[in-house]
Each structure stands twice: as C-alpha cells, then as structure tokens.
Amino acid sequence: MITLLFRTIIIYIALIIAMRLMGKRQIGELEISDLVTTLLISEIASLPITDGNIPISHAIVPIVTLLTFEVVSSALLAYFPRLKNIMTARPTTLIRDGKLCGKAMRQTRLSADELISELRQKDITDPSEVRYAILEQNGKITVIPKAKYRPPNAEQLKIEVRDAGLYHIIIDKGVINQHSLSEVNITKEELNARLKEQGLAAKDIYLMLMNDEGDSEVIRKDEV
C-alpha cells in the first residue's frame, strides 16, 4: 500500500510539471494535437499505478518524450504557420452577413439548433443580426454582431470614462499577496501604513481588492 502511494505521488508530481511546462494555452484550449497528447499521457500515467510490476521509469520516459514533442511542435507551428493546416484545424465561418453558410455547417457537422443555442448564449436571438459567427480552432464559437446591433461605447457616446484598470486581490483571508502588490506598484510597508490609517491590520481583513489606480475595496472578517 505504501509503495502504491509513493508511486501515485511521483506520477502526480510528474504530470503537474508536464502540464505546467506545456503552458496555459494547452490546458485551457485543447486542439487536436493537445487532446491526443493529454489522452496518451493520462493512459501512460495510469499504468505504473495500477500495475506494480511496471517500473515508474516506463511512464516517466514516455511522458517526457510526449512533453518534448508537444513543446517542439508548438514552437515549429509558431515559426512555420503553414504547418498548422496539417497539425490543427482552421477557423470556419458559420455565418456571414446574417446568412448561414450551409457548406461550412455540413463540414463541421454542426446543426442549426446547436448554432442558434450558441447565439442565444451571446444574447442574440436573430441570426440576421450577426456579421460573423466563426468556429474557432478550440471549438468555441466567436460571434460578432453587425455594427448597428453592437452596444455603443464611451467614445461613440462622447462620454469621458475613467479607466481604473484591473482589480487585484491584495489580501485574502489575512494573507498578503506579494504578486498583486507588485502589480499595483506598492510595497508591503505602504500597504500596512494605509491599513493603519483605517485602523486595520492585514489579519483583520477577509478580502482586500485594489485596482491599478490605487482604489481599494475592503471586506473585514467580522463582516463575513
């Protein structure tokens, strides 16, 4: 039992390292090559866990090999875009100027019901309002409404809008997030001084958010 536990932990750590090295794109958006690699790695990793007679190296070596191939192939696709036609699918236009592209629908084996469902999720009920609907390489559908159906932006309305940037988690359950502090360009000492002015300490805070302009929102632990 102890041996099985250690073998599982070793394989688990190896998989975590492999997935991290593959990068966020592969984790978040599985294309054909990514899906094949993921399926193979999961199958290979399970072998030494279920069969104690198989050495761990028989899983580690193939995982490293697949990881190396995935990283190299991703680099090649970045430098030689034409290879993408072989390795990955290309984006497909499903709606153009409000009209469904029947041939593209048949090629992608996508039904009208599925497409309409995707449009509804983008708050569009009438396909004629769509300028483009594109099936992306990762299987998601990008919907671009016609200009007259798009919400007007601040520039079009001639409204001055203050851009405060993103909100970052500065304190989470009393723990200061050093990475977020560097994102908003303040030091731990400056943060503590700001909290002291409000009669607070980090340990008293359940959640503190701060945007790029320095505006902050604080939720104390006694408020939760």
Side-chain angles (χ1 to χ4, degrees):
M1 182 62 71
I2 298 297
T3 302
L4 177 61
L5 176 63
F6 277 111
R7 290 167 72 92
T8 304
I9 292 173
I10 292 171
I11 294 297
Y12 176 78
I13 293 172
L15 287 175
I16 291 293
I17 294 172
M19 292 296 106
R20 288 288 292 164
L21 291 175
M22 284 174 68
K24 293 181 180 180
R25 182 184 69 81
Q26 281 79 2
I27 295 173
E29 303 174 2
L30 290 179
E31 295 183 3
I32 295 174
S33 60
D34 304 327
L35 179 60
V36 170
T37 300
T38 302
L39 291 174
L40 284 174
I41 286 178
S42 63
E43 183 67 25
I44 292 168
S46 67
L47 295 177
I49 295 176
T50 56
D51 190 345
N53 296 321
I54 299 177
I56 292 181
S57 60
H58 285 200
I60 299 295
V61 172
I63 288 174
V64 171
T65 302
L66 288 170
L67 171 63
T68 302
F69 179 78
E70 182 65 27
V71 172
V72 171
S73 63
S74 296
L76 286 174
L77 291 176
Y79 283 103
F80 303 101
R82 290 186 178 181
L83 290 177
K84 284 192 174 184
N85 293 326
I86 301 174
M87 298 290 292
T88 65
R90 305 299 293 174
T92 304
T93 301
L94 303 173
I95 298 178
R96 188 188 302 271
D97 292 327
K99 296 181 180 179
L100 274 66
C101 302
K103 183 178 180 181
M105 298 276 289
R106 289 191 295 272
Q107 288 177 342
T108 57
R109 296 185 298 281
L110 188 71
S111 69
D113 187 56
E114 291 172 316
L115 180 57
I116 296 300
S117 174
E118 289 289 337
L119 295 182
R120 286 199 300 268
Q121 294 178 53
K122 304 292 192 303
D123 298 324
I124 296 175
T125 57
D126 187 351
S128 66
E129 298 177 5
V130 178
R131 181 79 166 93
Y132 292 107
I134 301 171
L135 180 63
E136 305 290 0
Q137 292 168 306
N138 60 5
K140 296 179 181 179
I141 295 178
T142 299
V143 179
I144 304 173
K146 292 180 178 178
K148 62 181 178 181
Y149 296 111
R150 298 173 199 166
N153 56 43
E155 183 178 0
Q156 292 169 330
L157 295 174
K158 302 187 184 305
I159 299 174
E160 290 293 333
V161 179
R162 177 172 173 264
D163 187 357
L166 297 172
Y167 269 93
H168 307 270
I169 296 178
I170 303 299
I171 299 176
D172 186 6
K173 298 182 181 68
V175 179
I176 297 175
N177 188 315
Q178 294 291 347
H179 174 73
S180 294
L181 279 182
S182 64
E183 289 290 318
V184 296
N185 238 352
I186 68 170
T187 63
K188 187 175 180 179
E189 290 72 23
E190 291 172 331
L191 173 64
N192 287 327
R194 180 180 294 197
L195 293 175
K196 190 175 182 180
E197 291 175 358
Q198 302 176 44
L200 294 170
K203 62 183 178 60
D204 304 321
I205 296 174
Y206 181 80
L207 182 65
M208 180 178 182
L209 304 173
M210 186 178 294
N211 63 28
D212 296 331
E213 294 296 316
D215 303 323
S216 62
E217 297 286 343
V218 176
I219 300 174
R220 301 193 308 270
K221 287 184 177 179
D222 57 14
E223 295 177 331
V224 179

